[in-house]
C-alpha cells in the first residue's frame, strides 16, 4: 500500500517531529508499504527529494518569506494543492496527518473522502492554548484543538503517542498507541562520573520547569561542586561563566548524534514539567532517548511519560518540581554508591530496548492501518 504524510516536518531527521514521522514511515516500509511526505518545514531542493525509498515533496522555496510560512502552517493551502496535484497521477491508499490544524485537516479530509482514500492522524501534541508563545501560536493551538475534537473522530484511525491520547480517542475512532520509537540499537551507559552528572537537552520555553532544578543545583553546590549539570540548546544566559563555576554548564544547540553521545556521558537525564494537558498528551522524546540509551530519567510525577519511570528502578521520580523537593532528591542521589547508579542505568537500558525499539511495533502498526484501509 502507499501512504503519504502531511505536516510541519522536514525531509531530514533533524528534530523530534521529523524523527517521529520518519520512524513511523520506516516501520511501514519494513512491512512492504511505501510512504511519501509533503513537508511543511524546511526547503526541498527542486521541490522534490528521493531518499530512503521515499519521496519528499516540499511546500516552501528557498526564498519563501516568514508571512507565507505562517499562512501555510495555519491554512495548509500549499500542502493541499500539492496533494491534489499528486493525486492526478498517483494513487495513495491513505493520508497521514501529523498534528495539523483543522483548516488543513478538513481540506485534506474532504479531498480524500471524494476519492475513497483513508485518513489517519499521527497525534503527538494537544497544546494548551494558555501556554502558547504569542498570538500565532495561540491561533495554531486553537485550530489543532478544534481538529482533535471535531475532525479526528471522523477519520479512519489515529496513531497516538501517549496513553493519555489513546484513552481520549478510545470509543471515538480506532487508535494505535505508538510511543517514540528508534531504529538504531541503543547503547548501554557505563559512564563513571564523580560528581554525578545531569543533562538537560532542548529548549525549555514554557514546557519545562528547568529553572527550579538550576536553583536546587546552586543550593547543593553552595560549598563546593557536588553535582554537575549540563544544559544543551537552551538560551545561554549572560552569567553563564559564573554558573559554570557553580557546576552548571550551558552549551549551544548540537546535532542530534552529539546529544545522544552526551547522554552516554551523563548519569541522569532531566525532565520536569507542569501538571498540564500538553505534558500528559505528548510523550517526551527526551525520556525515550535517555532510557533507550541507558540513562536514567530524573522527573516529576504528572501522569505523562513519567508513568514509565519507576522510582529507584529506571530513574528518579519526585512528587513535585519545586526547588526544595528537587534538592532533597539530589541529596538522596548523592548518597548512592556508583554501583547503585549503574544498576539504574542497566534497568533503564533494559526497559528502553523493550519499550522504544521500532521493530517491536512494525508488524502490528502495519496490520492496524491496512485493515482500516480495506474496511
Amino acid at each position: 500500500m502507499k501512504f503519504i504524510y502531511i505536516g510541519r516536518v522536514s525531509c531530514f531527521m533533524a528534530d523530534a517531529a521529523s524523527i517521529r514521522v520518519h520512524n513511523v514511515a520506516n516501520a511501514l516500509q519494513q512491512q512492504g508499504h511505501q510512504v511519501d511526505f509533503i513537508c511543511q518545514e524546511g526547503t526541498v531542493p527542486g521541490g522534490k527529494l528521493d531518499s530512503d525509498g521515499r519521496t519528499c515533496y516540499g511546500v516552501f522555496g528557498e526564498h519563501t518569506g516568514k508571512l507565507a510560512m505562517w499562512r501555510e502552517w495555519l491554512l495548509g493551502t500549499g500542502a493541499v494543492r500539492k496533494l491534489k496535484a499528486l493525486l492526478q497521477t498517483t494513487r495513495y491508499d491513505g493520508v497521514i496527518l501529523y498534528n495539523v490544524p483543522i483548516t488543513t485537516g478538513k481540506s485534506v479530509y474532504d479531498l480524500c473522502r471524494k476519492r475513497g482514500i483513508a485518513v489517519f492522524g499521527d497525534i503527538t501534541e494537544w497544546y494548551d492554548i494558555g501556554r502558547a508563545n504569542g498570538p500565532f501560536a495561540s491561533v495554531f493551538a486553537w485550530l489543532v484543538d478544534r481538529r482533535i475534537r471535531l475532525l479526528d473522530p471522523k477519520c479512519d484511525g489515529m496513531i497516538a503517542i501517549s496513553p493519555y491520547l489513546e484513552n481520549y480517542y478510545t470509543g471515538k475512532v480506532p487508535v494505535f498507541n505508538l510511543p517514540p520509537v528508534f531504529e538504531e540499537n541503543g547503547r548501554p551507559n557505563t559512564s563513571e562520573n564523580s560528581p554525578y552528572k545531569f543533562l538537560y537537552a532542548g529548549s525549555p520555553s514554557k514546557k519545562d520547569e528547568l529553572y527550579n532544578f538550576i536553583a536546587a543545583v546552586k543550593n547543593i553546590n553552595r560549598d563546593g561542586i557536588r553535582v554537575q549539570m549540563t544544559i544543551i540548546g537552551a538560551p545561554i544566559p549572560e552569567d553563564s561563566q559564573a554558573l559554570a563555576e557553580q557546576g552548571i554548564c550551558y552549551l549551544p544547540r548540537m546535532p542530534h548524534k552529539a546529544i545522544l553521545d552526551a547522554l552516554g556521558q551523563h548519569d541522569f537525564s532531566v525532565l520536569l514539567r507542569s501538571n498540564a494537558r500538553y505534558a500528559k498528551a505528548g510523550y517526551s522524546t527526551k525520556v525515550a532517548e535517555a532510557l533507550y540509551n541507558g540513562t536514567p530519567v530524573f522527573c516529576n510525577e504528572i501522569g505523562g511519560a513519567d508513568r514509565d519511570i519507576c522510582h529507584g528502578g529506571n530513574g528518579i521520580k519526585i512528587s513535585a518540581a519545586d526547588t526544595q523537593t528537587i534538592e532533597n532528591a539530589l541529596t538522596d542521589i548523592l548518597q548512592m554508591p556508583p554501583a547503585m547508579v549503574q544498576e539504574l542505568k542497566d534497568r533503564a537500558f533494559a526497559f528502553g530496548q523493550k519499550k522504544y525499539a521500532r521493530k517491536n511495533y512494525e508488524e502490528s502498526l502495519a496490520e492496524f492501518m491496512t485493515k482500516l484501509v480495506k474496511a
Side-chain angles (χ1 to χ4, degrees):
M1 289 187 174
K2 295 182 71 171
F3 298 92
I4 188 164
Y5 251 106
I6 298 176
R8 281 183 62 181
V9 295
S10 165
C11 289
F12 311 101
M13 296 173 68
D15 54 25
S18 301
I19 290 169
R20 165 70 175 188
V21 298
H22 284 287
N23 269 303
V24 174
N26 287 336
L28 292 171
Q29 286 185 195
Q30 287 296 314
Q31 297 297 307
H33 305 291
Q34 180 179 332
V35 184
D36 295 332
F37 283 85
I38 295 176
C39 300
Q40 293 177 296
E41 193 72 67
T43 59
V44 180
K48 178 181 176 181
L49 176 68
D50 293 305
S51 175
D52 296 327
R54 67 179 68 108
T55 302
C56 296
Y57 300 94
V59 174
F60 300 134
E62 292 184 17
H63 304 293
T64 302
K66 185 169 289 188
L67 185 60
M69 289 183 178
W70 287 352
R71 188 187 312 118
E72 173 63 23
W73 292 335
L74 288 177
L75 303 177
T77 50
V80 174
R81 191 162 51 242
K82 181 72 69 175
L83 179 61
K84 280 183 180 179
L86 288 172
L87 292 178
Q88 299 299 316
T89 58
T90 306
R91 167 66 190 184
Y92 286 102
D93 298 287
V95 173
I96 308 171
L97 299 171
Y98 180 76
N99 293 336
V100 299
I102 193 170
T103 41
T104 307
K106 183 66 164 60
S107 296
V108 171
Y109 177 87
D110 290 344
L111 185 63
C112 290
R113 281 292 177 260
K114 292 176 183 177
R115 291 165 170 78
I117 300 170
V119 180
F120 298 90
D122 182 6
I123 314 303
T124 68
E125 303 277 4
W126 193 347
Y127 309 103
D128 283 328
I129 298 171
R131 301 179 70 89
N133 287 321
F136 171 82
S138 296
V139 172
F140 186 84
W142 183 80
L143 291 172
V144 168
D145 180 85
R146 295 295 86 194
R147 191 214 72 232
I148 289 173
R149 297 180 187 277
L150 302 178
L151 182 64
D152 287 0
K154 300 178 181 178
C155 293
D156 295 279
M158 294 288 130
I159 305 169
I161 199 169
S162 65
Y164 183 94
L165 286 172
E166 180 186 25
N167 291 339
Y168 173 78
Y169 286 120
T170 297
K172 299 180 177 69
V173 61
V175 58
F176 185 92
N177 180 217
L178 183 69
V181 291
F182 312 109
E183 175 183 13
E184 301 82 4
N185 292 328
R187 297 171 291 182
N189 185 341
T190 57
S191 60
E192 297 180 7
N193 299 304
S194 181
Y196 292 139
K197 298 175 69 174
F198 295 76
L199 174 68
Y200 174 88
S203 178
S205 184
K206 288 187 177 181
K207 296 188 302 180
D208 298 340
E209 305 292 337
L210 178 62
Y211 299 103
N212 286 347
F213 194 92
I214 293 173
V217 171
K218 288 181 179 179
N219 292 341
I220 289 282
N221 290 345
R222 189 179 294 114
D223 298 320
I225 304 301
R226 301 173 65 201
V227 298
Q228 291 186 333
M229 182 180 189
T230 305
I231 301 170
I232 301 175
I236 299 177
E238 293 182 0
D239 62 344
S240 60
Q241 185 59 47
L243 288 169
E245 295 172 359
Q246 299 175 72
I248 303 164
C249 177
Y250 277 83
L251 297 174
R253 292 185 66 180
M254 295 180 178
H256 182 242
K257 184 180 182 304
I259 292 176
L260 294 181
D261 291 340
L263 272 173
Q265 299 163 11
H266 288 74
D267 300 292
F268 295 90
S269 177
V270 177
L271 184 75
L272 300 171
R273 291 194 162 170
S274 300
N275 188 359
R277 187 183 65 198
Y278 80 93
K280 299 175 185 179
Y283 195 113
S284 172
T285 305
K286 296 184 188 72
V287 168
E289 286 185 331
L291 296 174
Y292 195 63
N293 289 281
T295 303
V297 173
F298 184 107
C299 67
N300 61 314
E301 186 172 5
I302 59 166
D306 61 279
R307 301 201 318 189
D308 284 329
I309 304 302
C310 174
H311 181 72
N314 57 3
I316 300 297
K317 181 157 58 175
I318 57 179
S319 59
D322 62 278
T323 301
Q324 188 59 59
T325 302
I326 296 169
E327 186 176 343
N328 292 343
L330 291 176
T331 301
D332 290 341
I333 290 172
L334 289 174
Q335 307 307 312
M336 293 183 181
M340 184 179 293
V341 173
Q342 185 59 52
E343 288 177 5
L344 290 178
K345 294 176 181 178
D346 293 342
R347 286 192 290 266
F349 181 74
F351 178 89
Q353 298 309 294
K354 183 178 180 180
K355 177 83 176 183
Y356 309 114
R358 197 186 69 206
K359 62 184 179 182
N360 296 340
Y361 299 90
E362 290 172 353
E363 185 175 348
S364 54
L365 173 64
E367 182 180 1
F368 168 78
M369 296 186 71
T370 53
K371 279 185 176 179
L372 293 172
V373 168
K374 294 176 182 177

